[in-house]
mmCIF file of all heavy atoms in Angstrom:
data_model
loop_
_atom_site.group_PDB
_atom_site.id
_atom_site.type_symbol
_atom_site.label_atom_id
_atom_site.label_comp_id
_atom_site.label_asym_id
_atom_site.label_seq_id
_atom_site.Cartn_x
_atom_site.Cartn_y
_atom_site.Cartn_z
ATOM 1 N N TYR A 105 63.319 -54.805 -77.703
ATOM 2 C CA TYR A 105 64.260 -55.263 -78.732
ATOM 3 C C TYR A 105 65.623 -55.626 -78.170
ATOM 4 O O TYR A 105 66.110 -56.741 -78.363
ATOM 5 C CB TYR A 105 64.429 -54.217 -79.835
ATOM 6 C CG TYR A 105 65.419 -54.690 -80.876
ATOM 7 C CD1 TYR A 105 65.041 -55.658 -81.806
ATOM 8 C CD2 TYR A 105 66.733 -54.215 -80.902
ATOM 9 C CE1 TYR A 105 65.946 -56.138 -82.737
ATOM 10 C CE2 TYR A 105 67.641 -54.685 -81.838
ATOM 11 C CZ TYR A 105 67.253 -55.644 -82.748
ATOM 12 O OH TYR A 105 68.146 -56.132 -83.662
ATOM 13 N N GLU A 106 66.275 -54.691 -77.488
ATOM 14 C CA GLU A 106 67.655 -54.921 -77.065
ATOM 15 C C GLU A 106 67.807 -56.110 -76.110
ATOM 16 O O GLU A 106 68.713 -56.923 -76.291
ATOM 17 C CB GLU A 106 68.238 -53.642 -76.442
ATOM 18 C CG GLU A 106 68.349 -52.455 -77.393
ATOM 19 C CD GLU A 106 69.288 -52.698 -78.572
ATOM 20 O OE1 GLU A 106 70.068 -53.672 -78.527
ATOM 21 O OE2 GLU A 106 69.223 -51.921 -79.544
ATOM 22 N N PRO A 107 66.959 -56.249 -75.084
ATOM 23 C CA PRO A 107 67.140 -57.376 -74.162
ATOM 24 C C PRO A 107 66.816 -58.741 -74.771
ATOM 25 O O PRO A 107 67.292 -59.765 -74.282
ATOM 26 C CB PRO A 107 66.172 -57.058 -73.011
ATOM 27 C CG PRO A 107 65.848 -55.613 -73.151
ATOM 28 C CD PRO A 107 65.894 -55.345 -74.617
ATOM 29 N N ALA A 108 65.987 -58.775 -75.798
ATOM 30 C CA ALA A 108 65.599 -60.048 -76.404
ATOM 31 C C ALA A 108 66.799 -60.703 -77.079
ATOM 32 O O ALA A 108 67.683 -60.032 -77.615
ATOM 33 C CB ALA A 108 64.483 -59.832 -77.416
ATOM 34 N N THR A 109 66.830 -62.015 -77.067
ATOM 35 C CA THR A 109 67.936 -62.758 -77.666
ATOM 36 C C THR A 109 67.409 -63.810 -78.632
ATOM 37 O O THR A 109 66.222 -64.163 -78.612
ATOM 38 C CB THR A 109 68.768 -63.473 -76.585
ATOM 39 O OG1 THR A 109 67.930 -64.468 -75.962
ATOM 40 C CG2 THR A 109 69.277 -62.495 -75.544
ATOM 41 N N MET A 110 68.304 -64.324 -79.452
ATOM 42 C CA MET A 110 67.928 -65.431 -80.331
ATOM 43 C C MET A 110 67.483 -66.629 -79.503
ATOM 44 O O MET A 110 66.563 -67.351 -79.891
ATOM 45 C CB MET A 110 69.105 -65.806 -81.235
ATOM 46 C CG MET A 110 69.357 -64.826 -82.358
ATOM 47 S SD MET A 110 68.048 -64.854 -83.632
ATOM 48 C CE MET A 110 68.478 -66.339 -84.551
ATOM 49 N N LYS A 111 68.114 -66.841 -78.369
ATOM 50 C CA LYS A 111 67.743 -67.950 -77.492
ATOM 51 C C LYS A 111 66.284 -67.817 -77.044
ATOM 52 O O LYS A 111 65.541 -68.797 -77.003
ATOM 53 C CB LYS A 111 68.668 -67.992 -76.278
ATOM 54 C CG LYS A 111 68.391 -69.130 -75.303
ATOM 55 C CD LYS A 111 69.451 -69.150 -74.213
ATOM 56 C CE LYS A 111 69.224 -70.309 -73.240
ATOM 57 N NZ LYS A 111 68.023 -70.128 -72.413
ATOM 58 N N ASP A 112 65.872 -66.584 -76.704
ATOM 59 C CA ASP A 112 64.478 -66.343 -76.322
ATOM 60 C C ASP A 112 63.524 -66.744 -77.440
ATOM 61 O O ASP A 112 62.480 -67.363 -77.203
ATOM 62 C CB ASP A 112 64.263 -64.863 -75.991
ATOM 63 C CG ASP A 112 65.017 -64.417 -74.749
ATOM 64 O OD1 ASP A 112 65.140 -65.226 -73.817
ATOM 65 O OD2 ASP A 112 65.468 -63.260 -74.739
ATOM 66 N N ILE A 113 63.881 -66.367 -78.667
ATOM 67 C CA ILE A 113 63.014 -66.643 -79.809
ATOM 68 C C ILE A 113 62.978 -68.138 -80.105
ATOM 69 O O ILE A 113 61.923 -68.701 -80.395
ATOM 70 C CB ILE A 113 63.475 -65.835 -81.036
ATOM 71 C CG1 ILE A 113 63.343 -64.330 -80.745
ATOM 72 C CG2 ILE A 113 62.664 -66.219 -82.275
ATOM 73 C CD1 ILE A 113 63.970 -63.434 -81.790
ATOM 74 N N VAL A 114 64.137 -68.792 -80.015
ATOM 75 C CA VAL A 114 64.203 -70.241 -80.222
ATOM 76 C C VAL A 114 63.293 -70.953 -79.231
ATOM 77 O O VAL A 114 62.498 -71.833 -79.602
ATOM 78 C CB VAL A 114 65.657 -70.737 -80.071
ATOM 79 C CG1 VAL A 114 65.698 -72.264 -79.989
ATOM 80 C CG2 VAL A 114 66.517 -70.250 -81.235
ATOM 81 N N GLU A 115 63.376 -70.568 -77.961
ATOM 82 C CA GLU A 115 62.566 -71.211 -76.929
ATOM 83 C C GLU A 115 61.075 -70.920 -77.121
ATOM 84 O O GLU A 115 60.228 -71.799 -76.959
ATOM 85 C CB GLU A 115 63.023 -70.753 -75.551
ATOM 86 C CG GLU A 115 64.415 -71.255 -75.180
ATOM 87 C CD GLU A 115 64.903 -70.713 -73.848
ATOM 88 O OE1 GLU A 115 64.219 -69.831 -73.272
ATOM 89 O OE2 GLU A 115 65.963 -71.163 -73.391
ATOM 90 N N GLU A 116 60.745 -69.683 -77.483
ATOM 91 C CA GLU A 116 59.341 -69.313 -77.674
ATOM 92 C C GLU A 116 58.732 -70.030 -78.878
ATOM 93 O O GLU A 116 57.567 -70.432 -78.853
ATOM 94 C CB GLU A 116 59.228 -67.801 -77.864
ATOM 95 C CG GLU A 116 57.825 -67.267 -77.949
ATOM 96 C CD GLU A 116 57.092 -67.295 -76.612
ATOM 97 O OE1 GLU A 116 57.762 -67.219 -75.560
ATOM 98 O OE2 GLU A 116 55.848 -67.387 -76.622
ATOM 99 N N ALA A 117 59.538 -70.212 -79.917
ATOM 100 C CA ALA A 117 59.051 -70.869 -81.136
ATOM 101 C C ALA A 117 58.975 -72.376 -80.981
ATOM 102 O O ALA A 117 58.344 -73.050 -81.801
ATOM 103 C CB ALA A 117 59.960 -70.522 -82.312
ATOM 104 N N ALA A 118 59.613 -72.912 -79.924
ATOM 105 C CA ALA A 118 59.657 -74.363 -79.702
ATOM 106 C C ALA A 118 60.228 -75.079 -80.922
ATOM 107 O O ALA A 118 59.730 -76.115 -81.368
ATOM 108 C CB ALA A 118 58.274 -74.906 -79.357
ATOM 109 N N MET A 119 61.281 -74.473 -81.473
ATOM 110 C CA MET A 119 61.977 -75.047 -82.619
ATOM 111 C C MET A 119 63.462 -75.123 -82.294
ATOM 112 O O MET A 119 63.947 -74.442 -81.399
ATOM 113 C CB MET A 119 61.758 -74.174 -83.874
ATOM 114 C CG MET A 119 60.329 -74.147 -84.372
ATOM 115 S SD MET A 119 60.045 -72.866 -85.625
ATOM 116 C CE MET A 119 61.171 -73.375 -86.911
ATOM 117 N N SER A 120 64.175 -75.942 -83.031
ATOM 118 C CA SER A 120 65.618 -76.028 -82.821
ATOM 119 C C SER A 120 66.292 -74.775 -83.368
ATOM 120 O O SER A 120 65.778 -74.120 -84.284
ATOM 121 C CB SER A 120 66.185 -77.264 -83.521
ATOM 122 O OG SER A 120 66.168 -77.085 -84.924
ATOM 123 N N ARG A 121 67.436 -74.449 -82.786
ATOM 124 C CA ARG A 121 68.197 -73.309 -83.282
ATOM 125 C C ARG A 121 68.550 -73.491 -84.754
ATOM 126 O O ARG A 121 68.538 -72.539 -85.537
ATOM 127 C CB ARG A 121 69.470 -73.148 -82.440
ATOM 128 C CG ARG A 121 70.305 -71.925 -82.784
ATOM 129 C CD ARG A 121 71.500 -71.818 -81.850
ATOM 130 N NE ARG A 121 71.073 -71.515 -80.499
ATOM 131 C CZ ARG A 121 70.974 -70.271 -80.018
ATOM 132 N NH1 ARG A 121 71.263 -69.237 -80.796
ATOM 133 N NH2 ARG A 121 70.600 -70.058 -78.779
ATOM 134 N N GLY A 122 68.849 -74.740 -85.132
ATOM 135 C CA GLY A 122 69.199 -75.013 -86.522
ATOM 136 C C GLY A 122 68.075 -74.682 -87.487
ATOM 137 O O GLY A 122 68.306 -74.126 -88.558
ATOM 138 N N TRP A 123 66.836 -75.009 -87.094
ATOM 139 C CA TRP A 123 65.695 -74.686 -87.940
ATOM 140 C C TRP A 123 65.581 -73.179 -88.132
ATOM 141 O O TRP A 123 65.347 -72.687 -89.242
ATOM 142 C CB TRP A 123 64.411 -75.228 -87.318
ATOM 143 C CG TRP A 123 63.956 -76.533 -87.892
ATOM 144 C CD1 TRP A 123 63.966 -77.750 -87.279
ATOM 145 C CD2 TRP A 123 63.451 -76.759 -89.208
ATOM 146 N NE1 TRP A 123 63.483 -78.714 -88.126
ATOM 147 C CE2 TRP A 123 63.154 -78.145 -89.315
ATOM 148 C CE3 TRP A 123 63.207 -75.927 -90.299
ATOM 149 C CZ2 TRP A 123 62.633 -78.703 -90.473
ATOM 150 C CZ3 TRP A 123 62.683 -76.480 -91.459
ATOM 151 C CH2 TRP A 123 62.405 -77.853 -91.537
ATOM 152 N N ILE A 124 65.727 -72.439 -87.055
ATOM 153 C CA ILE A 124 65.571 -70.983 -87.149
ATOM 154 C C ILE A 124 66.653 -70.372 -88.022
ATOM 155 O O ILE A 124 66.394 -69.479 -88.836
ATOM 156 C CB ILE A 124 65.551 -70.363 -85.742
ATOM 157 C CG1 ILE A 124 64.240 -70.755 -85.053
ATOM 158 C CG2 ILE A 124 65.720 -68.843 -85.808
ATOM 159 C CD1 ILE A 124 63.921 -70.066 -83.781
ATOM 160 N N TYR A 125 67.898 -70.891 -87.910
ATOM 161 C CA TYR A 125 68.992 -70.346 -88.709
ATOM 162 C C TYR A 125 68.858 -70.684 -90.195
ATOM 163 O O TYR A 125 69.533 -70.074 -91.026
ATOM 164 C CB TYR A 125 70.339 -70.812 -88.171
ATOM 165 C CG TYR A 125 70.815 -69.982 -87.003
ATOM 166 C CD1 TYR A 125 70.733 -70.455 -85.702
ATOM 167 C CD2 TYR A 125 71.332 -68.702 -87.205
ATOM 168 C CE1 TYR A 125 71.155 -69.689 -84.628
ATOM 169 C CE2 TYR A 125 71.762 -67.921 -86.143
ATOM 170 C CZ TYR A 125 71.671 -68.426 -84.854
ATOM 171 O OH TYR A 125 72.080 -67.659 -83.802
ATOM 172 N N LEU A 126 67.993 -71.625 -90.531
ATOM 173 C CA LEU A 126 67.701 -71.860 -91.943
ATOM 174 C C LEU A 126 66.941 -70.690 -92.554
ATOM 175 O O LEU A 126 66.982 -70.470 -93.766
ATOM 176 C CB LEU A 126 66.874 -73.140 -92.105
ATOM 177 C CG LEU A 126 67.608 -74.476 -91.948
ATOM 178 C CD1 LEU A 126 66.615 -75.617 -92.014
ATOM 179 C CD2 LEU A 126 68.680 -74.629 -93.022
ATOM 180 N N TYR A 127 66.240 -69.937 -91.718
ATOM 181 C CA TYR A 127 65.412 -68.818 -92.171
ATOM 182 C C TYR A 127 66.054 -67.461 -91.888
ATOM 183 O O TYR A 127 66.026 -66.567 -92.736
ATOM 184 C CB TYR A 127 64.038 -68.889 -91.488
ATOM 185 C CG TYR A 127 63.221 -70.089 -91.867
ATOM 186 C CD1 TYR A 127 63.386 -71.304 -91.203
ATOM 187 C CD2 TYR A 127 62.296 -70.033 -92.899
ATOM 188 C CE1 TYR A 127 62.633 -72.419 -91.549
ATOM 189 C CE2 TYR A 127 61.533 -71.144 -93.255
ATOM 190 C CZ TYR A 127 61.717 -72.334 -92.574
ATOM 191 O OH TYR A 127 60.972 -73.439 -92.929
ATOM 192 N N TYR A 128 66.587 -67.301 -90.684
ATOM 193 C CA TYR A 128 67.121 -66.003 -90.266
ATOM 194 C C TYR A 128 68.435 -66.192 -89.515
ATOM 195 O O TYR A 128 68.549 -67.083 -88.671
ATOM 196 C CB TYR A 128 66.116 -65.280 -89.359
ATOM 197 C CG TYR A 128 64.762 -65.091 -89.991
ATOM 198 C CD1 TYR A 128 63.676 -65.879 -89.611
ATOM 199 C CD2 TYR A 128 64.569 -64.136 -90.995
ATOM 200 C CE1 TYR A 128 62.433 -65.719 -90.205
ATOM 201 C CE2 TYR A 128 63.325 -63.981 -91.593
ATOM 202 C CZ TYR A 128 62.266 -64.769 -91.200
ATOM 203 O OH TYR A 128 61.048 -64.619 -91.790
ATOM 204 N N GLN A 129 69.391 -65.336 -89.828
ATOM 205 C CA GLN A 129 70.708 -65.452 -89.225
ATOM 206 C C GLN A 129 70.879 -64.609 -87.965
ATOM 207 O O GLN A 129 71.721 -64.922 -87.120
ATOM 208 C CB GLN A 129 71.792 -65.046 -90.241
ATOM 209 C CG GLN A 129 71.856 -65.953 -91.461
ATOM 210 C CD GLN A 129 72.203 -67.384 -91.095
ATOM 211 O OE1 GLN A 129 73.213 -67.624 -90.429
ATOM 212 N NE2 GLN A 129 71.362 -68.321 -91.504
ATOM 213 N N THR A 130 70.116 -63.546 -87.847
ATOM 214 C CA THR A 130 70.284 -62.642 -86.714
ATOM 215 C C THR A 130 68.935 -62.214 -86.143
ATOM 216 O O THR A 130 67.893 -62.325 -86.808
ATOM 217 C CB THR A 130 71.050 -61.365 -87.121
ATOM 218 O OG1 THR A 130 70.235 -60.607 -88.042
ATOM 219 C CG2 THR A 130 72.388 -61.692 -87.773
ATOM 220 N N LYS A 131 68.985 -61.700 -84.930
ATOM 221 C CA LYS A 131 67.792 -61.142 -84.295
ATOM 222 C C LYS A 131 67.254 -59.972 -85.121
ATOM 223 O O LYS A 131 66.033 -59.811 -85.258
ATOM 224 C CB LYS A 131 68.141 -60.674 -82.878
ATOM 225 C CG LYS A 131 66.996 -60.030 -82.120
ATOM 226 C CD LYS A 131 67.418 -59.628 -80.709
ATOM 227 C CE LYS A 131 68.337 -58.416 -80.713
ATOM 228 N NZ LYS A 131 68.565 -57.908 -79.335
ATOM 229 N N GLU A 132 68.145 -59.170 -85.678
ATOM 230 C CA GLU A 132 67.709 -58.025 -86.472
ATOM 231 C C GLU A 132 66.937 -58.476 -87.708
ATOM 232 O O GLU A 132 65.911 -57.885 -88.062
ATOM 233 C CB GLU A 132 68.901 -57.168 -86.893
ATOM 234 C CG GLU A 132 68.507 -55.952 -87.705
ATOM 235 C CD GLU A 132 69.670 -55.024 -87.995
ATOM 236 O OE1 GLU A 132 70.322 -54.563 -87.037
ATOM 237 O OE2 GLU A 132 69.924 -54.767 -89.182
ATOM 238 N N GLU A 133 67.405 -59.530 -88.376
ATOM 239 C CA GLU A 133 66.692 -60.044 -89.544
ATOM 240 C C GLU A 133 65.271 -60.476 -89.165
ATOM 241 O O GLU A 133 64.315 -60.227 -89.899
ATOM 242 C CB GLU A 133 67.445 -61.238 -90.140
ATOM 243 C CG GLU A 133 68.683 -60.866 -90.938
ATOM 244 C CD GLU A 133 69.315 -62.090 -91.576
ATOM 245 O OE1 GLU A 133 68.647 -63.148 -91.648
ATOM 246 O OE2 GLU A 133 70.469 -61.989 -91.992
ATOM 247 N N ILE A 134 65.160 -61.128 -88.032
ATOM 248 C CA ILE A 134 63.845 -61.575 -87.573
ATOM 249 C C ILE A 134 62.957 -60.376 -87.271
ATOM 250 O O ILE A 134 61.775 -60.351 -87.643
ATOM 251 C CB ILE A 134 63.978 -62.470 -86.324
ATOM 252 C CG1 ILE A 134 64.689 -63.777 -86.679
ATOM 253 C CG2 ILE A 134 62.605 -62.762 -85.722
ATOM 254 C CD1 ILE A 134 64.952 -64.678 -85.494
ATOM 255 N N PHE A 135 63.514 -59.364 -86.617
ATOM 256 C CA PHE A 135 62.723 -58.193 -86.254
ATOM 257 C C PHE A 135 62.221 -57.466 -87.501
ATOM 258 O O PHE A 135 61.041 -57.083 -87.568
ATOM 259 C CB PHE A 135 63.553 -57.239 -85.395
ATOM 260 C CG PHE A 135 62.756 -56.129 -84.785
ATOM 261 C CD1 PHE A 135 61.967 -56.353 -83.668
ATOM 262 C CD2 PHE A 135 62.778 -54.853 -85.328
ATOM 263 C CE1 PHE A 135 61.214 -55.335 -83.105
ATOM 264 C CE2 PHE A 135 62.024 -53.826 -84.767
ATOM 265 C CZ PHE A 135 61.251 -54.068 -83.660
ATOM 266 N N VAL A 136 63.084 -57.296 -88.478
ATOM 267 C CA VAL A 136 62.693 -56.615 -89.713
ATOM 268 C C VAL A 136 61.613 -57.414 -90.440
ATOM 269 O O VAL A 136 60.625 -56.847 -90.928
ATOM 270 C CB VAL A 136 63.916 -56.390 -90.622
ATOM 271 C CG1 VAL A 136 63.482 -55.869 -91.996
ATOM 272 C CG2 VAL A 136 64.884 -55.407 -89.975
ATOM 273 N N ALA A 137 61.767 -58.743 -90.512
ATOM 274 C CA ALA A 137 60.763 -59.581 -91.153
ATOM 275 C C ALA A 137 59.442 -59.528 -90.397
ATOM 276 O O ALA A 137 58.361 -59.522 -91.004
ATOM 277 C CB ALA A 137 61.262 -61.021 -91.242
ATOM 278 N N MET A 138 59.508 -59.483 -89.073
ATOM 279 C CA MET A 138 58.295 -59.387 -88.261
ATOM 280 C C MET A 138 57.560 -58.077 -88.541
ATOM 281 O O MET A 138 56.331 -58.050 -88.681
ATOM 282 C CB MET A 138 58.645 -59.479 -86.775
ATOM 283 C CG MET A 138 57.450 -59.394 -85.838
ATOM 284 S SD MET A 138 57.950 -58.849 -84.187
ATOM 285 C CE MET A 138 58.379 -57.116 -84.501
ATOM 286 N N MET A 139 58.313 -56.969 -88.638
ATOM 287 C CA MET A 139 57.688 -55.680 -88.940
ATOM 288 C C MET A 139 57.022 -55.696 -90.307
ATOM 289 O O MET A 139 55.927 -55.155 -90.477
ATOM 290 C CB MET A 139 58.726 -54.557 -88.864
ATOM 291 C CG MET A 139 59.134 -54.198 -87.453
ATOM 292 S SD MET A 139 60.028 -52.624 -87.387
ATOM 293 C CE MET A 139 61.441 -52.981 -88.418
ATOM 294 N N GLU A 140 57.674 -56.322 -91.280
ATOM 295 C CA GLU A 140 57.087 -56.428 -92.612
ATOM 296 C C GLU A 140 55.769 -57.199 -92.560
ATOM 297 O O GLU A 140 54.784 -56.811 -93.191
ATOM 298 C CB GLU A 140 58.067 -57.129 -93.560
ATOM 299 C CG GLU A 140 59.255 -56.284 -93.961
ATOM 300 C CD GLU A 140 58.864 -55.136 -94.861
ATOM 301 O OE1 GLU A 140 57.936 -55.305 -95.675
ATOM 302 O OE2 GLU A 140 59.473 -54.056 -94.743
#
Side-chain angles (χ1 to χ4, degrees):
Y105 179 76
E106 297 297 346
T109 65
M110 285 290 282
K111 181 175 182 291
D112 294 325
I113 297 171
V114 168
E115 292 176 353
E116 185 72 28
M119 294 168 61
S120 71
R121 185 177 292 268
W123 261 110
I124 290 190
Y125 278 103
L126 285 175
Y127 295 85
Y128 304 105
Q129 297 298 306
T130 66
K131 178 178 73 171
E132 181 174 303
E133 284 184 16
I134 294 176
F135 190 78
V136 172
M138 180 203 70
M139 286 194 299
E140 287 291 326

